[in-house]
Amino acid sequence: MTDPDSPVNSFFHETQPGGLARWMPGLAVLRNYRLGWLSQDILAGLVLTAILFPVGMGYAVAAGLPAIYGLYATIIPLVAYAVFGPSRILVLGPDSALSALIAAAILPLAASSPDRIVLLAGMLAIMSGALCLLAGFIRFGFITELISKPIRYGYLNGIALTVLVGQLSKIFGFAVTGDGVLQQSHGLVLGLQHGLINWGAVAIGLGSLLVMLAFKHRLPKVPGILIAVVGATLLVWYFDLAAQLGIAVVGALPQGLPAFHVGGISMSEFNSLLPGAVAIAVVSFADLSVLSRTYALRGSYEVNSNQELIALGMANIATGLFQGFPVTSSSSRTPVAESAGARTQLAGIVGALCIALLLIYAPTLLQDLPYAALGAVVIFACFGLVEIAGLLHLYHLRRGEFTLSMACFFGVILLGVIQGIFIAVGLALLAFVWRAWRPYDAVLGRVDGMKGYHDISRHPEGRQIPGLVLFRWDAPLFFANAEIFREHVLLAVVNAPTPARWVVVVAEPVTDVDTTAADMLADLDQMLIQADIELCFAGMKGPVKDRLKHYGLFNKIGIESFFPTVGQAVSRYLAENKVEWDDWDD
């Protein structure tokens, strides 16, 4: 039972907003805001702030940027999504799923220049945001539905391993160069062999990770990430471990808010960034779409997938214009906002305001924060990306989908995260086309004691009516499977126990017929006529009949060859052909 005072009931169980509020749902929230929600949103925002600091900074470092830019990329999208986002409590910001993609896109082009890294990261956010915005305006929100769960498991597991390997060097306390899992793993092994480990960093990193895991399992409502990061920072400060043990720390953060900045890039850099921007847009919206629908179902309201794309695009463009990098929804921070009682996006704005105040008035507060602790934060987040139980479930239930998932995983690991995402999308489309290209079909017969007509391959005891072939096709008819359909119909005719007089296509599962398939049906009809066999259809849906009428095929085959049900087609066949058929009474 939903809360009658819930904002979802106030905004989504009424008439949907029109005008400017349609494109900026935050205006509808503001217009209908209830004073009773204010204390809950403020409290939720303060609780959310505790986790925004460490994860934002950690994901920035994981993406190859200075930690301060993670805070910039936290402030801006929270405000932008509050204006344009349709979800009431979804939290946007830096995310572990994107950090490897960002690093793979910008680091090879930056030539180790910090200024170029920041510039390219901002442009990457603007480009991926523009792609999301375009997709939202042309109503392309359905595209992520083509990415199946096995595909998603594969590329997220690959990204998680990539990020995890990249952060291990921070835990060990030495730098590693190289692109991708294999090169970075090789660098780690060499570092270990040459004794480059900083045991102080190892102690802080592993200790921080253990604290986060302990709180997650023992006290999940307590922000273990905050406790671990604050504890590590206090240890480094109190014992001056940066000087004593050489532990790398963040240092004093620049004072003030992010500045509006747009730099220029060359056309070759634009072309190099474009595949990364596309991959980031796909992964970002796939994550956001799943999370948004989950919370919408939980709150008994609906979200518009195209508006989510627009909101994601606006958030990324705004973030890129203010020294940020690509962002998406957060599956770790959104539950924090929900459990803290957030009612609207005001909770996110409170969190953004708290970060802004820290940058203005206390930028040195986190100067002793060790990179080993930030690496532990990112590794902890990677554990949330990994899906082992789901993979094992696929292995036991459907090996083909398990193989597909593993292909995506190894694509990310061996070829790189950006190339791996394109492999994942390509495999998803290929799997979709394959299922439609070679769908299941069946010859139907009568089974005593069972109503209707059933697949004789599954019911060998089924009896076929003499001279009648009942053929069921379980997919749309289109250019890729039209010839397969014709071959299988003719094969059913050849294999019929008695010479065929009628072929009745049980067409209820057929949801569409394109022009190529229509031409094939016309040819098949003529071929069967020459063999003195009549082609008929039973149970065809109205919209599909309308297609055939538009093509001129409906009248060409003959209106008398279309029957509402299989039973009526069988009755007509028995009457016209005077076939003796001893049927049981169902």
Side-chain angles (χ1 to χ4, degrees):
M1 184 174 180
T2 57
D3 180 1
D5 192 41
S6 168
V8 301
N9 287 300
S10 300
F11 302 134
F12 291 94
H13 291 168
E14 297 175 0
T15 304
Q16 295 294 306
L20 191 60
R22 176 190 172 192
W23 303 104
M24 303 171 69
L27 295 179
V29 175
L30 187 63
R31 192 180 301 147
N32 297 279
Y33 196 85
R34 297 183 183 180
L35 192 59
W37 299 337
L38 185 60
S39 60
Q40 293 171 286
D41 279 336
I42 291 176
L43 177 61
L46 293 174
V47 173
L48 187 62
T49 303
I51 196 173
L52 291 177
F53 281 108
V55 297
M57 297 171 73
Y59 295 154
V61 173
L65 287 93
I68 180 63
Y69 294 98
L71 299 183
Y72 294 163
T74 299
I75 296 173
I76 304 302
L78 288 173
V79 176
Y81 190 82
V83 176
F84 296 100
S87 174
R88 296 304 93 213
I89 62 171
L90 204 65
V91 177
L92 257 66
D95 189 70
S96 56
L98 298 187
S99 57
L101 287 166
I102 297 168
I106 65 174
L107 294 184
L109 300 176
S112 301
S113 167
D115 291 338
R116 293 298 295 171
I117 289 174
V118 173
L119 171 64
L120 292 170
M123 289 305 300
L124 188 64
I126 293 172
M127 291 168 65
S128 63
L131 290 171
C132 290
L133 203 61
L134 176 63
F137 281 129
I138 64 176
R139 301 184 180 277
F140 217 55
F142 69 90
I143 188 64
T144 57
E145 296 174 7
L146 297 177
I147 301 178
S148 65
K149 188 175 289 186
I151 296 288
R152 197 165 178 268
Y153 285 167
Y155 74 69
L156 285 180
N157 283 340
I159 287 174
L161 182 59
T162 302
V163 174
L164 190 147
V165 170
Q167 296 307 297
L168 285 177
S169 62
K170 295 179 177 61
I171 299 291
F172 290 131
F174 61 86
V176 170
T177 59
D179 298 326
V181 174
L182 299 181
Q183 289 186 23
Q184 290 186 344
S185 298
H186 183 253
L188 279 173
V189 172
L190 289 179
L192 295 175
Q193 288 177 343
H194 289 87
L196 299 181
I197 298 177
N198 184 317
W199 290 106
V202 172
I204 287 177
L206 291 182
S208 299
L209 186 59
L210 290 173
V211 169
M212 296 175 209
L213 292 171
F215 274 95
K216 179 182 178 180
H217 291 97
R218 298 292 183 179
L219 297 169
K221 292 187 177 181
V222 177
I225 291 178
L226 178 66
I227 292 173
V229 168
V230 170
T233 304
L234 290 175
L235 277 174
V236 172
W237 166 75
Y238 185 78
F239 293 103
D240 193 20
L241 297 181
Q244 297 295 327
L245 298 178
I247 293 176
V249 296
V250 170
L253 300 176
Q255 187 173 28
L257 298 176
F260 180 86
H261 179 72
V262 181
I265 61 173
S266 66
M267 182 56 67
S268 64
E269 288 176 324
F270 177 87
N271 292 334
S272 297
L273 288 177
L274 187 58
V278 173
I280 286 169
V282 170
V283 173
S284 298
F285 185 57
D287 285 349
L288 183 143
S289 178
V290 171
L291 201 60
S292 178
R293 287 199 301 263
T294 298
Y295 284 95
L297 288 172
R298 192 175 297 178
S300 301
Y301 65 95
E302 294 183 1
V303 288
N304 185 308
S305 60
N306 295 304
Q307 183 60 38
E308 285 287 19
L309 267 172
I310 292 171
L312 180 63
M314 293 300 295
N316 272 285
I317 290 172
T319 304
L321 292 173
F322 285 89
Q323 299 179 280
F325 52 87
V327 297
T328 184
S329 60
S330 170
S331 58
S332 61
R333 280 153 282 173
T334 302
V336 171
E338 182 193 40
S339 62
R343 294 296 224 172
T344 70
Q345 286 292 333
L346 181 60
I349 292 179
V350 171
L353 180 61
C354 289
I355 296 176
L357 291 174
L358 178 137
L359 292 178
I360 294 172
Y361 296 108
T364 61
L365 190 62
L366 299 175
Q367 65 182 2
D368 290 310
L369 173 59
Y371 279 111
L374 289 180
V377 169
V378 177
I379 290 174
F380 178 74
C382 286
F383 293 158
L385 288 179
V386 175
E387 184 58 64
I388 301 298
L391 271 180
L392 293 175
H393 192 63
L394 285 177
Y395 180 80
H396 291 296
L397 293 184
R398 195 154 181 172
R399 297 287 174 87
E401 292 192 350
F402 171 81
T403 302
L404 196 62
S405 184
M406 294 307 296
C408 293
F409 172 77
F410 284 111
V412 171
I413 297 302
L414 299 176
L415 301 178
V417 286
I418 295 176
Q419 296 88 338
I421 294 302
F422 284 107
I423 289 173
V425 173
L427 287 175
L429 293 173
L430 182 61
F432 174 77
V433 172
W434 177 264
R435 290 191 179 107
W437 181 28
R438 292 186 174 273
Y440 190 79
D441 59 67
V443 175
L444 307 183
R446 195 76 159 135
V447 180
D448 289 346
M450 296 178 65
K451 291 186 177 182
Y453 296 84
H454 303 275
D455 183 355
I456 61 171
S457 68
R458 300 181 65 87
H459 297 277
E461 74 278 14
R463 297 181 297 136
Q464 291 182 253
I465 301 171
L468 176 63
V469 175
L470 295 175
F471 180 82
R472 192 187 70 212
W473 180 258
D474 293 345
L477 265 174
F478 67 115
F479 64 93
N481 63 23
E483 285 304 313
I484 296 173
F485 174 88
R486 175 164 61 180
E487 290 174 8
H488 287 203
V489 168
L490 295 176
L491 187 63
V493 170
V494 171
N495 292 333
T498 57
R501 300 179 189 174
W502 278 27
V503 172
V504 176
V505 177
V506 180
E508 189 173 0
V510 179
T511 55
D512 190 28
V513 177
D514 72 0
T515 54
T516 302
D519 290 341
M520 177 276 298
L521 289 176
D523 293 341
L524 178 62
D525 183 47
Q526 291 302 310
M527 186 181 300
L528 292 175
I529 287 174
Q530 292 174 8
D532 200 22
I533 300 172
E534 186 172 343
L535 177 63
C536 301
F537 297 85
M540 181 175 283
K541 293 178 172 64
V544 183
K545 286 183 183 178
D546 292 341
R547 289 276 189 194
L548 299 187
K549 290 175 183 177
H550 181 69
Y551 300 150
L553 186 60
F554 189 81
N555 291 328
K556 184 177 181 180
I557 293 177
I559 189 172
E560 69 282 354
S561 297
F562 291 84
F563 299 91
T565 66
V566 177
Q568 288 176 294
V570 170
S571 297
R572 177 74 66 82
Y573 168 77
L574 294 174
E576 288 192 5
N577 292 276
K578 297 181 173 54
V579 175
E580 294 185 5
W581 173 246
D582 183 18
D583 198 5
W584 75 283
D585 187 11
D586 62 355

